[in-house]
Amino acid sequence: SQKIEQNSEALNIQEGKTATLTCNYTNYSPAYLQWYRQDPGRGPVFLLLIRENEKEKRKERLKVTFDTTLKQSLFHITASQPADSATYLCALPRGSTLGRLYFGRGTQLTVWP
Amino acid sequence: ETGVTQTPRHLVMGMTNKKSLKCEQHLGHNAMYWYKQSAKKPLELMFVYNFKEQTENNSVPSRFSPECPNSSHLFLHLHTLQPEDSALYLCASSQGEGREHQPQHFGDGTRLSIL
C-alpha cells in the first residue's frame, strides 16, 4: 500500500534561515503532490501543488520540488519568520481516484527569533 | 477565513449519547469529505460524497453515520462512541471527484471528547 513519510516530527530553526521539510513516498507514482499548512486548533490550508512533470514550483517565499526518481518532495521556506511556525503536511492522491488524498503525519516547524 | 464552517467547535459526550456534527461549505463545491485527526497520526479519510452520493466509506465503524442532504451540507451522526473516537473531526470540500489537482478546503474541525 502507499506510504508517505515526512522527515521529522519537529524542526526548529532561527528566523531568517531557510526551512527545508521532506516528504518521501513509496509504492506508487503520484500524478501530483500537495502541501498544506495547519495551525493549532485549525484545519489544514492548501499552499502549493506540484505536478509530476514539474521539477519546481514557487510561491512568494515558498518553493517545492518534486523528484519522481527519488520519490521525494522538498518544501522550502526562505527567510523564515516566527509567523511561519505551524505544522506542514504533504498529501498525495489516493490510487486512481482523483481528488482523494493520503496525508503525511506532518512536520511541526518552529521559527524562533 | 474559511469557506467551510463546522459546528460545534467542541463537543463532549458520553458513550451512550447521540450527537451530530455539521459542516457547511459556501464555495460551490461538489465533493465533501470527513476526516479524523488523532494526535501523532495522519489525517484518516472516513467518508467521501460526490454530488450528494457517498463514494467512499473507508471501513468506518457503523457508530459513525454520514448524511449529505445537498452539495453544501454534510453531517456526521454519532452514537455509542468509544473513548478512542476522541479526536479532531475535519470536514473538507473540493470542486468534485475526478477533477484532478483540485485542493481541498478544510473547516476548522470539531474537537470531540468521549467520556
Side-chain angles (χ1 to χ4, degrees):
Chain A
S1 62
Q2 296 97 329
K3 189 174 180 182
I4 304 172
E5 291 186 356
Q6 293 192 242
N7 59 324
S8 60
E9 276 192 29
L11 178 65
N12 300 308
I13 65 167
Q14 188 177 21
E15 183 176 10
K17 303 291 187 184
T18 296
T20 299
L21 287 68
T22 304
C23 178
N24 294 296
Y25 59 92
T26 57
N27 294 336
Y28 78 136
S29 299
Y32 62 89
L33 185 147
Q34 300 181 1
W35 284 89
Y36 289 77
R37 168 183 173 144
Q38 186 173 22
D39 290 284
R42 308 296 298 273
V45 175
F46 171 76
L47 295 175
L48 280 169
L49 178 149
I50 186 166
R51 295 175 174 79
E52 60 181 336
N53 60 351
E54 297 175 318
K55 295 292 186 185
E56 181 179 298
K57 201 80 166 283
R58 290 176 185 263
K59 179 182 176 182
E60 299 173 353
R61 295 184 295 110
L62 308 181
K63 184 178 85 171
V64 173
T65 63
F66 194 9
D67 189 325
T68 55
T69 301
L70 292 178
K71 295 188 181 293
Q72 180 182 82
S73 175
L74 298 179
F75 178 82
H76 306 274
I77 305 176
T78 59
S80 59
Q81 305 167 0
D84 295 326
S85 299
T87 296
Y88 292 86
L89 310 172
C90 68
L92 292 95
R94 293 168 69 96
S96 59
T97 305
L98 299 176
R100 298 186 196 177
L101 301 172
Y102 281 116
F103 282 85
R105 293 172 190 268
T107 296
Q108 185 175 349
L109 174 67
T110 301
V111 181
W112 44 279
Chain B
E1 182 183 350
T2 176
V4 180
T5 304
Q6 289 188 245
T7 55
R9 290 296 313 277
H10 302 273
L11 179 61
V12 179
M13 57 187 284
M15 293 168 62
T16 58
N17 292 157
K18 290 184 179 182
K19 295 286 185 183
S20 296
L21 310 184
K22 179 182 175 181
C23 176
E24 183 174 1
Q25 58 97 358
H26 312 276
L27 300 168
H29 290 164
N30 295 309
M32 296 188 77
Y33 311 79
W34 278 117
Y35 287 88
K36 175 183 179 182
Q37 188 174 35
S38 304
K40 308 295 185 185
K41 295 176 74 173
L43 270 73
E44 300 173 48
L45 181 65
M46 300 175 70
F47 301 104
V48 181
Y49 279 82
N50 195 39
F51 291 93
K52 301 188 301 177
E53 298 297 320
Q54 186 179 130
T55 56
E56 178 153 348
N57 176 339
N58 197 23
S59 302
V60 180
S62 59
R63 58 186 183 268
F64 295 91
S65 174
E67 179 189 1
C68 188
N70 55 60
S71 293
S72 299
H73 293 86
L74 186 65
F75 295 89
L76 188 62
H77 304 299
L78 316 171
H79 66 96
T80 323
L81 295 192
Q82 305 298 310
E84 61 266 26
D85 297 323
S86 298
L88 181 67
Y89 288 84
L90 290 161
C91 172
S93 69
S94 68
Q95 285 197 351
E97 286 206 302
R99 299 282 299 276
E100 62 178 73
H101 307 157
Q102 293 303 317
Q104 293 185 11
H105 297 254
F106 286 82
D108 286 332
T110 295
R111 173 67 63 185
L112 177 65
S113 299
I114 306 300
L115 301 179

